Amino acid sequence: MTYNPRSFDGGVLKGNNIVRFVYIDEAGISNFAHEPHLVIAAVLINPDTQWRDIEAYYADLSDELFGEEQHRFVFHAKDIWHGAKTFPRESWSKAERLKILSRLVQVPRLFNLRLAISAIDRTETSKEISLQFPNATSQRVQQISFCYAFVRAIEDVNAEIERNAPGESAMLIVEDSPKMKGFLKFFHEAYTNTRHRAPDAFQADRIVDTPLFAKKSESMLLQIADHCAFIVNASSWIAEIFLHCLLN
């Protein structure tokens, strides 16, 4: 007997394609000298088959380290690496913090997650944008740079879905940044607009709806993108740790 899923009012639902969740975060937005590159990390997740298992992984690690009172604890890679905030160096040795970080960065491999990573040279990109928009303020140049890197990551996400999940769509869940939210929505509207498509412009045919902006405490799986972006943006030997955990 064939089972046809139905809506709450009893009507037969048509289609069975999955909508992927794409969690997006960035690293490299502070001092140019300390962070010369801007990295955008996008993580594709199947909410039906992967979401709850990944959430349970983080919850179990949180319970192990802090007890059940911190069941929805969010692990910030930058704090763990530098020994700050919830991971002060006085209480957590470097070896302990590296062990935690290694357990976090292996999540994409453990759950077979697809990643899209975009990285730009902040100084060179700023120079190019300033030449193109000579009247732009430094803040506006940085906003455009951010969106440039963001769209490059979305291009990879769109291509990944077309290549490996034809017929499926994706929604974006983005780390909430008040300074960037409006600007990102403007760019998002441009590359998802099917009615007014500029010739040769990138069109994200697989991305639907407006981005959802959330804090990591509200959307726990954003921390996967946080970990990926931080490690890729870090020094080369830290990146080697990440790649070792990811690939082995």
Side-chain angles (χ1 to χ4, degrees):
M1 181 176 65
T2 302
Y3 170 72
N4 294 314
R6 295 179 178 272
S7 64
F8 288 118
D9 64 2
V12 176
L13 298 177
K14 296 181 179 180
N16 57 0
N17 289 338
I18 296 171
V19 175
R20 305 276 174 169
F21 288 171
V22 182
Y23 291 90
I24 303 175
D25 200 4
E26 87 289 328
I29 58 174
S30 61
N31 188 292
F32 271 65
H34 297 153
E35 296 183 319
H37 296 93
L38 169 63
V39 176
I40 304 290
V43 185
L44 287 77
I45 292 178
N46 182 328
D48 293 323
T49 63
Q50 296 174 314
W51 197 95
R52 294 196 180 281
D53 289 339
I54 299 172
E55 183 194 39
Y57 181 90
Y58 285 116
D60 290 345
L61 180 57
S62 177
D63 291 348
E64 177 185 330
L65 297 176
F66 302 107
E68 293 186 3
E69 69 276 5
Q70 294 281 350
H71 187 69
R72 288 185 60 83
F73 180 81
V74 175
F75 296 89
H76 294 276
K78 188 174 183 178
D79 295 342
I80 299 171
W81 172 250
H82 291 292
K85 297 183 179 180
T86 316
F87 295 93
R89 298 182 182 186
E90 298 77 16
S91 303
W92 301 85
S93 69
K94 187 173 183 179
E96 290 173 321
R97 288 183 280 115
L98 277 178
K99 184 177 180 181
I100 295 170
L101 197 58
S102 69
R103 293 177 66 178
L104 296 172
V105 299
Q106 67 181 333
V107 167
R109 178 185 61 82
L110 287 176
F111 294 95
N112 194 30
L113 303 179
R114 299 285 185 175
L115 306 177
I117 305 292
S118 170
I120 63 171
D121 184 300
R122 297 174 67 192
T123 300
E124 291 302 316
T125 303
S126 295
K127 289 179 180 178
E128 294 175 6
I129 294 172
S130 295
L131 289 174
Q132 188 175 2
F133 304 99
N135 295 324
T137 64
S138 59
Q139 181 180 7
R140 182 53 55 91
V141 169
Q142 296 313 306
Q143 288 176 323
I144 296 174
S145 298
F146 187 99
C147 289
Y148 175 68
F150 185 91
V151 173
R152 285 180 55 180
I154 299 304
E155 288 178 348
D156 288 345
V157 168
N158 198 71
E160 172 66 27
I161 296 175
E162 288 184 339
R163 183 168 53 248
N164 295 303
E168 296 182 8
S169 300
M171 290 187 64
L172 309 183
I173 298 94
V174 185
E175 168 70 4
D176 193 2
S177 174
K179 293 182 179 180
M180 291 304 307
K181 183 184 299 185
F183 221 59
L184 283 178
K185 283 190 173 184
F186 173 80
F187 273 76
H188 181 83
E189 171 64 22
Y191 64 68
T192 57
N193 193 325
T194 59
R195 295 180 178 270
H196 301 92
R197 182 176 302 191
D200 301 324
F202 164 62
Q203 185 70 32
D205 299 312
R206 303 299 181 183
I207 310 299
V208 298
D209 213 338
T210 189
L212 303 179
F213 292 88
K215 301 293 185 183
K216 294 184 183 71
S217 58
E218 300 168 326
S219 186
M220 287 187 65
L221 269 60
L222 271 169
Q223 61 189 303
I224 308 176
D226 169 87
H227 305 152
C228 293
F230 174 80
I231 294 297
V232 172
N233 193 49
S235 63
S236 59
W237 72 272
I238 303 178
E240 289 177 4
I241 296 175
F242 168 74
L243 291 173
H244 176 77
C245 295
L246 185 63
L247 301 175
N248 292 283

